[in-house]
């Protein structure tokens, strides 16, 4: 299973997603990789963290936008 499929499994499992989301938000970390999530490229990326709890690196990997 690749990374994207694993992330989709987490997001589609209500219990697992809710647990990881709460932990990520409380600890200011990434729902996927667990690394600190406090620095973002711009306001749009910060908003994406608010919605998805993905750090900047994981946003770039899963959503794109890393090339600027």
């Amino acid at each position: 299973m690749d990374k994207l499929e694993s992330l989709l499994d987490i997001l589609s499992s209500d219990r697992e997603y809710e647990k990881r989301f709460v932990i990520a938000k409380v600890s200011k970390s990434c729902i996927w990789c667990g690394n600190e999530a406090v620095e973002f490229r711009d306001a749009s990326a910060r908003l994406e963290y608010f919605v998805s709890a993905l750090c900047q690196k994981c946003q770039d990997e899963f959503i794109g936008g890393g090339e600027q």
Side-chain angles (χ1 to χ4, degrees):
M1 183 180 311
D2 70 4
K3 286 183 177 183
L4 183 55
E5 287 176 351
S6 296
L7 179 61
L8 290 174
D9 283 346
I10 291 167
L11 296 177
S12 65
S13 171
D14 290 340
R15 286 189 87 144
E16 183 68 17
Y17 173 74
E18 184 177 345
K19 180 179 94 176
R20 284 179 173 237
F21 187 84
V22 169
I23 290 169
K25 290 307 189 101
V26 169
S27 64
K28 295 182 179 164
S29 62
C30 179
I31 194 171
W32 174 251
C33 70
N35 290 330
E36 186 177 61
V38 293
E39 292 187 30
F40 297 94
R41 182 179 1 273
D42 54 27
S44 178
R46 191 176 320 285
L47 178 60
E48 179 59 40
Y49 176 76
F50 178 76
V51 173
S52 67
L54 289 170
C55 68
Q56 185 67 65
K57 180 181 174 210
C58 288
Q59 286 181 38
D60 292 344
E61 184 176 342
F62 290 109
I63 300 168
E67 308 83 33
Q68 283 194 323

